[in-house]
């Protein structure tokens, strides 16, 4: 009788150990499914980093170099642009706008 109780307890323990359903048993293993979900594909990129990069690009657009501003001014004035094709934008800006004094 004693051996029957021990065998029954041992059988219950073996059944509990092998039939236990855990969270890990419901998830597929990494090597069995190498592809990730389309929604989780870009989770490694932080949203705030993307927004920060966009804002930095906008700041760079607002703060142009003086040479870039001079080139844009020269491109808007056709004689300056023609002069720039032959002598360069720096010389054309000096030729047409360099003598001006702003107050």
């Amino acid at each position: 009788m004693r051996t029957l109780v021990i065998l029954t307890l041992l059988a219950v323990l073996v059944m509990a150990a092998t039939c236990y359903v855990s969270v890990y048993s419901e998830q597929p293993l990494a090597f069995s499914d190498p592809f990730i979900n389309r929604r989780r594909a870009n989770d490694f990129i932080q949203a705030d980093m993307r927004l920060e990069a966009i804002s930095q690009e906008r700041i760079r657009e607002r703060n142009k170099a003086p040479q870039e501003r001079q080139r844009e001014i020269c491109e808007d004035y056709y004689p300056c642009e023609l002069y720039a094709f032959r002598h360069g934008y720096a010389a054309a800006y000096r030729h047409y706008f360099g003598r001006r004094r702003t107050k």
Side-chain angles (χ1 to χ4, degrees):
M1 180 74 178
R2 189 172 184 198
T3 56
L4 184 62
V5 171
I6 291 175
L7 286 175
T8 306
L9 285 176
L10 186 60
V12 169
L13 286 175
V14 168
M15 186 179 68
T18 57
C19 296
Y20 176 72
V21 177
S22 69
V23 176
Y24 300 112
S25 64
E26 293 176 1
Q27 294 178 353
L29 297 176
F31 59 84
S32 66
D33 188 20
F35 303 105
I36 59 176
N37 188 349
R38 187 180 289 183
R39 291 182 183 170
R40 296 189 59 206
N42 292 325
D43 280 349
F44 61 92
I45 297 176
Q46 300 295 326
D48 58 315
M49 295 299 287
R50 285 181 278 172
L51 292 176
E52 183 179 333
I54 290 170
S55 66
Q56 289 295 325
E57 180 67 26
R58 298 294 177 239
I59 289 171
R60 276 188 239 114
E61 286 177 2
R62 276 188 280 163
N63 299 333
K64 294 182 180 177
Q67 294 85 7
E68 181 68 24
R69 279 188 261 128
Q70 290 174 0
R71 182 181 179 133
E72 288 178 356
I73 291 169
C74 191
E75 285 175 350
D76 291 339
Y77 186 55
Y78 187 69
C80 182
E81 188 175 15
L82 290 177
Y83 192 87
F85 287 142
R86 184 164 285 194
H87 302 287
Y89 280 101
Y93 184 83
R94 279 193 307 270
H95 180 76
Y96 285 98
F97 304 104
R99 288 173 271 178
R100 288 187 178 178
R101 302 284 176 148
T102 57
K103 293 182 181 182

